[in-house]
Every structure is written in structure tokens, then in C-alpha cells.
Amino acid sequence: MAIGAFKIIFFLLLSCYTLTIVTAQDETGFVGSIDPKLFRRRQNVSHFRFYWHDVVSGDNATAIEIIPPLPKFNTTNFGEVKVIDNALTSGPQLSSKLVGRAQGIYSYTSQTELNFLMIMNFALFEGKYNGSTITILGRNDAYEKVREMPVIGGSGLFRFAKGYAELTTYFLNTTTGDATSEYNIYVSHYV
Ligand SMILES: *[C@@H]1O[C@H](CO)[C@@H](O)[C@H](O)[C@H]1NC(C)=O
Ligand SMILES: *[C@@H]1O[C@H](CO)[C@@H](O)[C@H](O)[C@H]1NC(C)=O
Ligand SMILES: *[C@@H]1O[C@H](CO)[C@@H](O)[C@H](O)[C@H]1NC(C)=O
Ligand SMILES: *[C@@H]1O[C@H](CO)[C@@H](O)[C@H](O)[C@H]1NC(C)=O
Ligand SMILES: *[C@@H]1O[C@H](CO)[C@@H](O)[C@H](O)[C@H]1NC(C)=O
């Protein structure tokens, strides 16, 4: 009974979805253009500063290994993958005001050094930015004092965004591996 009802709802959802697409195709084919005025608006370059908390230890870890390193690369952890839901705060302490979360994955991508491929959405909670995201994808070389990664886009207020992030390590506990990085993000977006 419940499964039957579920199937019917699923079918209805599926047909609505199909109908929506067909209607759009009937009117415009599969591509149309958008009023260019929408993209003649001003663009601002905003500078955001966040503290990014990579908590890898303890009960409240927010960076969790999902794929272990390859045993052969036990100094660089090559092959390891972590999934993260790291707090972004306005001040350097984890207890500072929470302004967003960095959600994504990073992996250890050098066989000979310690560096990472970072793939993250910065989901923001504050004020007009609440619900908007900034997407960062780049190489993070742990031995560089300042690392730079591209901002490759975003959603909400950050549609068509581009820019870059610079990060420095603010704090590292060498016993636990917990770390806090300061992210300065320069992002050009429509206003
Ligand atoms: C984890 O978070 C809970 C709730 O905030 C807190 O009571 C607890 O002390 C935290 N544990 C650790 C190891 O930080
Ligand atoms: C690390 O890997 C090397 C070979 O790459 C091996 O000789 C060594 O025993 C390993 N060390 C540990 C702690 O597993
Ligand atoms: C952000 O938006 C969510 C959902 O719309 C809402 O529940 C939350 O209170 C908002 N947060 C702030 C800080 O405005
Ligand atoms: C690092 O973490 C350990 C274990 O939680 C703690 O005892 C130590 O005080 C921490 N060190 C720093 C510099 O915070
Ligand atoms: C865009 O930049 C201008 C000049 O810096 C500033 O006055 C304005 O508030 C900014 N607009 C938004 C929406 O951030």
C-alpha cells in the first residue's frame, strides 16, 4: 500500500518534470538568450575574510577521512581523501561568530610532498549572503606560507563569480592535526 502510493507520487513527480522540460522546449527549443541588461549591471570585487577550522580529531571532528592513504606513501598520505563540513568564523577562534561552512572534499595529491586538491563550497549564512555559495577548486601546497586557489564560481549573489582565495595557516596543533587557516577571498560578482 505505502509502496504503491510512493510509486504513484514518484510517477506524478516524474511526469511533471518531463512536462516542464517539454513546455520549455516547445516555446524556445533547447536554448534561448537572457536579457543582456541583466549582465550589464555593476560588478564589485568583494574581499571576504574567514577562519576555516579543520577539526580532524575528537568527537566533533568536521574533517573526516573517507579513503585512507596508500600504504606505500606513508609520509605524504598520497591517495587519502577527507570529506569536510568545516566551520567558517569571522574571528580566529572556533567559538567566534559562525558565518558559514566549508563543505567539500580534499585529497592528498602529491607522492613526494604534502599538498592537496581542495574542492569546496563556502556556504554563507550571514545577512544578504545567507544561502549563497562560493566555489573554490585548487591546489593547496602545505609548504607555502601563502597559498592561492581559484574561485571558480558560485550561486545566489555569486552567480558568474570569479576570483581567488589566499590562505595562510593561523594555527596548527601538531599533536592532533587540528588546524585553522585564514582565508582571504577576492571575488568579483554582480551587485
Ligand atoms: C563536542 O560538542 C559538544 C556539544 O557542543 C560539547 O559538549 C563537547 O564538549 C564537544 N567535544 C569535544 C571533544 O570538543
Ligand atoms: C612506509 O613506507 C615505506 C616504503 O615506502 C616502508 O619502508 C616503511 O616501513 C613504511 N613505514 C610505516 C610506518 O609504515
Ligand atoms: C538563513 O536562512 C535560513 C533559511 O532561509 C534561515 O533559517 C536562517 O535563520 C538564516 N540565517 C540568518 C543568520 O539570517
Ligand atoms: C593540541 O592538542 C592536544 C590534545 O587535545 C592538547 O593537549 C594540546 O594542548 C594542544 N596544543 C595546542 C598548542 O593547542
Ligand atoms: C559595491 O562597491 C561600492 C564601492 O566600493 C560600494 O559602495 C557598494 O556598497 C558595493 N555594493 C555592494 C552591493 O556590495
Side-chain angles (χ1 to χ4, degrees):
M1 179 68 180
I3 290 175
F6 175 76
K7 270 189 187 154
I8 290 169
I9 291 169
F10 182 70
F11 176 74
L12 286 174
L13 284 175
L14 196 67
S15 41
C16 290
Y17 181 64
T18 317
L19 280 177
T20 315
I21 291 171
V22 170
T23 309
Q25 281 182 346
D26 281 348
E27 283 166 11
T28 62
F30 67 89
V31 60
S33 50
I34 292 176
D35 183 352
K37 279 201 285 293
L38 284 171
F39 299 101
R40 281 194 208 114
R41 285 173 302 149
R42 249 158 60 82
Q43 291 192 50
N44 269 22
V45 179
S46 300
H47 170 199
F48 295 89
R49 186 178 65 183
F50 302 114
Y51 290 88
W52 176 94
H53 301 273
D54 201 43
V55 181
V56 298
S57 70
D59 295 340
N60 299 332
T62 56
I64 296 172
E65 179 187 284
I66 53 166
I67 300 178
L70 297 161
K72 191 177 158 193
F73 300 102
N74 55 24
T75 56
T76 59
N77 285 10
F78 181 65
E80 179 177 347
V81 178
K82 284 201 176 89
V83 63
I84 64 168
D85 185 16
N86 286 352
L88 295 171
T89 58
S90 58
Q93 306 308 322
L94 186 52
S95 56
S96 314
K97 186 181 171 81
L98 182 73
V99 294
R101 301 204 78 91
Q103 298 172 332
I105 59 177
Y106 64 78
S107 62
Y108 294 66
T109 42
S110 170
Q111 296 190 344
T112 54
E113 282 154 19
L114 191 60
N115 71 52
F116 308 94
L117 166 68
M118 316 284 293
I119 304 171
M120 297 185 288
N121 290 312
F122 278 25
L124 306 185
F125 304 151
E126 274 306 298
K128 67 178 175 183
Y129 300 104
N130 190 7
S132 294
T133 62
I134 297 172
T135 302
I136 292 172
L137 188 154
R139 176 172 181 268
N140 178 0
D141 181 344
Y143 293 116
E144 291 290 332
K145 185 168 161 29
V146 181
R147 287 89 80 179
E148 181 180 330
M149 302 193 290
V151 167
I152 60 164
S155 70
L157 287 179
F158 303 107
R159 284 178 185 168
F160 288 104
K162 53 187 189 291
Y164 63 98
E166 284 184 336
L167 58 142
T168 50
T169 301
Y170 176 82
F171 165 79
L172 171 66
N173 185 321
T174 50
T175 312
T176 61
D178 290 352
T180 299
S181 299
E182 179 182 328
Y183 273 71
N184 283 283
I185 302 182
Y186 303 89
V187 54
S188 146
H189 58 98
Y190 290 102
V191 292

